[in-house]
Amino acid sequence: MQVSEKSEGKKQTGNQMVNDNRATPVEQEEPRRILIADDEAALRTVLSALLRKEGFAVTAVSSGQEALDVLRHGQEDPEEEPFNVLIADLKMPGMDGMELLRRVIQKYAGLPVVMLTAHGTVDTAVQALKRGAFDFLTKPYERDEILMVLRKAISQSAKTQATTCPPQQGQAQEALIGNSPQMQRVRDLIRRVADTTATVLITGESGTGKELVAQALHESSSRAGKPFIRLNCAAIPQTLLEFELFGHEKGAFTGAVTEKPGRLELADGGTLLLDEIADLPVDLQAKLLHVLQEAVFERVGGIKTLRVDVRLIASTNQDLPAAIQRKEFREDLYYRLNVVPIDLPPLRQRLSDVPALVTHFMHKYNTRLSKHVRAFTEEAVQQLQKHAWPGNIRELENVVERTLLFTDTDHIHPQDLPADIMAQIQASSDLAAQPDQLVGAGMKDIVRQRTAQLESAIISAALKQTGRNVTRAAQKLKISRKSLQLKMRDLGLRESSGQEEEMPT
């Protein structure tokens, strides 16, 4: 990557020290799982002890192949808690860190990978970042530095593990499934603006596929062979966003033991996606506007100006004009980003695409789960088309995956669909069938009653599917065990659960 430098007069930089970011044990209800792959036994022992002391659950292996074996075992066992971060040494005998990184990105795309290196140069680590590593650390590492990086990685992991896996190079266009008029318009827009330098603002609800559109724009442009770099502005603490975006020089803050390029440098010549742009702090919005206008910036703690050639794409699920009214988003930046607006419709507005999406995800998870489902029956698809899909495509993919995971048949019928989804569909149908009978009743009372009925049906279904195992039911419902136990008590379901675990006091 070629980045030109020109010296400017010494200026005030890096004033935002990370004094309030000294790493502390991560607050969490359950230990976060860390997988360490390093051939140095002493390092594994010391690092494992440090992380366990900070409340992490640690598994340590001595090679890249062992790491893949552990990840594969966890994927095959539905009761196994997933890993939140992989820490991998760059230099290992057999499968080195780069090859391990490649395979992890290919099969476990939601898992952040932090690279450790005592060899090579910063350029080697930069190549790892370009290939998808979350971050890198140099040996010997600082305790505060590694805990800070893990905290960021865990935050990203929590936000991305449930998302659709990013497509491989050249597949994003094909992954935009559906022939509804809305999706045809989106694909037409991509074709028209992909090979331009215009900034694009992608809007839409969570789970509608904004990252796929950004990837498709990159792949359809002349920048396709260059880096495609993502930065989720909501997944990283605001005090750290400046360092992630612009990078920093050695000594810029406590724990900065080496220089580190930011996402702007890594994207030089390619495309930078700023996801959840509405969460970018106002002071950084001004700096980003300057980059868009002048194509130059400085690393935090540096006095050299760097020039980059980057095509910027931003995305958000928030109402930016409303944020402008609240003085939370700069109006000038909004107009600079909104050169080409692409608004993705929610799945409930294009239910005609559900059959094609179901087929796509069925083939995907047949391969991933070693299943042999041939089709979803017409009746099953019709049931899925009755659902409002508040989680959009992401929720539909989750439902298809769960269905295949627990089925032993080659055709999916309505009774094979997850019980919680069928309960929601039935509740919506019941409510739609008798609106006249509800007129005159208190709106809040109706909503409260219906919500309780729906929650009761969903929780009962989850308990049934897990053999009354509260912990596993909570995992399926994606809420904490404590929250589930409280809801069971409030809904009168505690007694029927078999008293597997005590209620929290």
Side-chain angles (χ1 to χ4, degrees), residues 47-97:
L47 183 55
S48 297
L50 184 156
L51 296 182
R52 289 188 180 110
K53 184 178 179 180
E54 299 296 328
F56 296 99
V58 180
T59 300
V61 297
S62 60
S63 70
Q65 186 57 56
E66 285 184 84
L68 290 178
D69 292 341
V70 169
L71 290 171
R72 183 172 60 251
H73 172 75
Q75 188 182 57
E76 293 172 351
D77 186 352
E79 296 187 18
E80 186 83 10
E81 285 289 333
F83 285 97
N84 300 96
V85 183
L86 167 63
I87 301 175
D89 190 18
L90 267 173
K91 298 291 184 180
M92 292 185 287
M95 183 188 301
D96 66 7

Side-chain angles (χ1 to χ4, degrees), residues 448-498:
R448 190 180 300 111
Q449 180 184 1
R450 292 292 184 176
T451 300
Q453 291 174 349
L454 184 57
E455 286 186 342
S456 179
I458 294 171
I459 291 172
S460 296
L463 290 170
K464 181 179 179 181
Q465 288 184 8
T466 59
R468 302 291 179 183
N469 185 301
V470 176
T471 299
R472 290 180 58 198
Q475 292 170 353
K476 290 177 70 68
L477 296 172
K478 293 181 173 57
I479 61 176
S480 69
R481 185 181 65 181
K482 180 178 178 180
S483 296
L484 176 56
Q485 289 173 317
L486 290 173
K487 285 184 177 293
M488 289 167 59
R489 182 189 65 189
D490 295 341
L491 296 170
L493 299 174
R494 179 183 173 188
E495 191 171 322
S496 62
S497 71

Side-chain angles (χ1 to χ4, degrees), residues 34-47:
I34 309 295
L35 176 59
I36 300 171
D38 197 301
D39 61 316
E40 295 182 36
L43 184 140
R44 293 198 306 272
T45 301
V46 172
L47 183 55

Side-chain angles (χ1 to χ4, degrees), residues 415-432:
Q415 60 268 26
D416 300 315
L417 298 173
D420 56 333
I421 293 296
M422 292 304 295
Q424 293 178 51
I425 293 172
Q426 185 60 49
S428 299
S429 300
D430 292 345
L431 185 60

